[in-house]
Amino acid sequence: AQTVTQSQPEMSVQEAETVTLSCTYDTSESDYYLFWYKQPPSRQMILVIRQEAYKQQNATENRFSVNFQKAAKSFSLKISDSQLGDAAMYFCAYRSGSLSGGSNYKLTFGKGTLLTVNP
Amino acid sequence: DSGVTQTPKHLITATGQRVTLRCSPRSGDLSVYWYQQSLDQGLQFLIQYYNGEERAKGNILERFSAQQFPDLHSELNLSSLELGDSALYFCASSVGVGSPETQYFGPGTRLLVL
């Protein structure tokens, strides 16, 4: 079974600074997808960024980028120019890309990292 | 706004009772997923439906059941409720079951069992 580990329960960053959230995962599959979701105080789960394992290029969405190290099974999220609105719980998630087993399209989440942005 | 709707937003009930949570997926999405978020278990996958049929089961208790209707909305039924069932229940939807599928989440239903 796949597991996702977020080793930083809490992180803080100064407004306008850069912060990196860590995520590691364990899988024997070669085809999979990785996601970062943001959960602000409203509790809504918001997709931040997605990475396909077969792509060597790291995904980028505006101020958000990832460092995907497939061999190391590491998938970190970098937030540049942090804003007060970035304060939230961030979840790393894994999804299988294969069709086998029938249950593989579920998302497996890490425990989350609570990000505080200081003005 | 993800386009996924869930009702009700909040639900307070007593132990032993039964409740129904409703989810309407984004327009055009055929897959619906249910997740439970609790303090001790984190975010856990419960069950997935695709175009009316059950496709995958996760850590769903026997007291819980779900279905997806012809109009693609889904309901999660929780019965014989226990205090430990108190949680935030999310519904997510995606276009189908293939790759690359991104799941978009609804706002959740917060269930409190007293």
Side-chain angles (χ1 to χ4, degrees):
Chain A
Q2 294 80 22
T3 59
V4 178
T5 302
Q6 293 180 250
S7 59
Q8 306 153 317
E10 296 183 26
M11 291 282 285
S12 65
V13 64
Q14 291 296 126
E15 198 175 1
E17 297 294 308
T18 296
V19 65
T20 298
L21 309 183
S22 301
C23 172
T24 59
Y25 57 94
D26 186 26
T27 184
S28 58
E29 299 176 329
S30 58
D31 182 21
Y32 53 88
Y33 298 81
L34 296 164
F35 304 84
W36 280 97
Y37 281 88
K38 167 185 175 181
Q39 187 177 42
S42 66
R43 307 306 294 266
Q44 174 80 50
M45 293 290 287
I46 302 166
L47 177 68
V48 175
I49 201 165
R50 182 185 80 192
Q51 175 77 44
E52 291 86 345
Y54 63 83
K55 290 187 177 179
Q56 292 187 345
Q57 187 172 7
N58 289 324
T60 299
E61 289 287 344
N62 300 314
R63 297 181 296 106
F64 298 87
S65 61
V66 299
N67 183 4
F68 174 48
Q69 302 289 327
K70 191 171 184 179
K73 296 180 182 175
S74 170
F75 181 61
S76 61
L77 175 69
K78 185 171 83 171
I79 306 174
S80 303
D81 186 25
S82 297
Q83 301 176 0
L84 295 177
D86 296 333
M89 182 73 87
Y90 286 81
F91 291 96
C92 178
Y94 173 102
R95 204 216 82 184
S96 171
S98 69
L99 284 170
S100 64
S103 63
N104 286 333
Y105 291 138
K106 67 176 183 179
L107 290 171
T108 299
F109 288 91
K111 293 290 187 184
T113 296
L114 180 62
L115 178 66
T116 302
V117 181
N118 301 310
Chain B
D1 184 358
S2 67
V4 180
T5 61
Q6 288 187 249
T7 57
K9 290 187 177 179
H10 303 278
L11 202 48
I12 302 175
T13 188
T15 54
Q17 295 298 304
R18 172 189 170 94
V19 297
T20 297
L21 283 52
R22 182 188 170 103
C23 167
S24 293
R26 296 186 317 159
S27 177
D29 284 0
L30 300 178
S31 269
V32 169
Y33 306 76
W34 286 97
Y35 292 87
Q36 179 194 59
Q37 184 178 28
S38 62
L39 283 175
D40 53 346
Q41 297 292 327
L43 268 159
Q44 290 204 343
F45 168 73
L46 295 178
I47 197 164
Q48 177 203 355
Y49 278 82
Y50 171 72
N51 204 20
E53 294 190 4
E54 181 185 307
R55 290 299 295 261
K57 262 186 174 179
N59 299 321
I60 187 167
L61 300 172
E62 286 191 8
R63 300 183 285 108
F64 296 1
S65 64
Q67 54 184 325
Q68 186 179 28
F69 295 86
D71 67 351
L72 300 177
H73 91 271
S74 178
E75 293 181 357
L76 179 66
N77 300 295
L78 315 177
S79 61
S80 302
L81 285 167
E82 301 175 359
L83 296 178
D85 297 328
S86 296
L88 186 53
Y89 291 85
F90 285 108
C91 166
S93 75
S94 66
V95 174
V97 291
S99 303
E101 293 289 313
T102 294
Q103 296 176 26
Y104 294 92
F105 283 72
T109 293
R110 188 184 295 273
L111 173 67
L112 180 59
V113 182
L114 299 175

